[in-house]
Amino acid sequence: MLYAIIGEDRTGSLDQRLATRPAHLERLQALQAAGRLLLAGPCPAIDSPDPGPAGFSGSIIIAEFDSLSAAQTWAEADPYVAAGVYEKVTVKPFKKALPA
């Protein structure tokens, strides 16, 4: 089943985000290689694809896991969590409707 993982950045965490990004991307690339990643990306803090020093307000990941518990365990092990980038992480089931 698909699950949405929504990470909300802690204010002022841009430096930690940038420093931890390679480890974060490595885990996402592993999901992609396994054919389990539907989409992933950051949410700019301002209305711009390159927010510069404004940074990001969080990230959204939609991926396939065996269960909600497995998705939560994966999300809790994210390097952004360990580095203090994410202030809050929400994991919930997701049902893709479109595009078909």
Side-chain angles (χ1 to χ4, degrees):
M1 181 165 182
L2 293 173
Y3 294 89
I5 299 169
I6 303 143
E8 297 178 40
D9 284 18
R10 182 178 48 79
T11 302
S13 64
L14 181 59
D15 289 342
Q16 289 93 340
R17 174 183 268 275
L18 296 175
T20 311
R21 188 170 188 263
H24 172 77
L25 289 179
E26 185 177 328
R27 293 180 81 238
L28 291 171
Q29 290 163 345
L31 277 180
Q32 182 178 12
R36 297 172 40 206
L37 182 65
L38 184 65
L39 67 86
C43 301
I46 59 173
D47 190 14
S48 172
D50 181 6
F56 300 90
S57 63
S59 303
I60 298 173
I61 299 165
I62 299 179
E64 185 177 344
F65 292 92
D66 291 334
S67 65
L68 177 59
S69 176
Q72 289 169 327
T73 298
W74 187 91
E76 290 167 3
D78 193 294
Y80 281 173
V81 172
V85 174
Y86 289 156
E87 181 173 57
K88 177 182 177 187
V89 177
T90 302
V91 180
K92 51 183 149 181
F94 179 82
K95 183 178 178 186
K96 181 181 174 203
L98 294 171

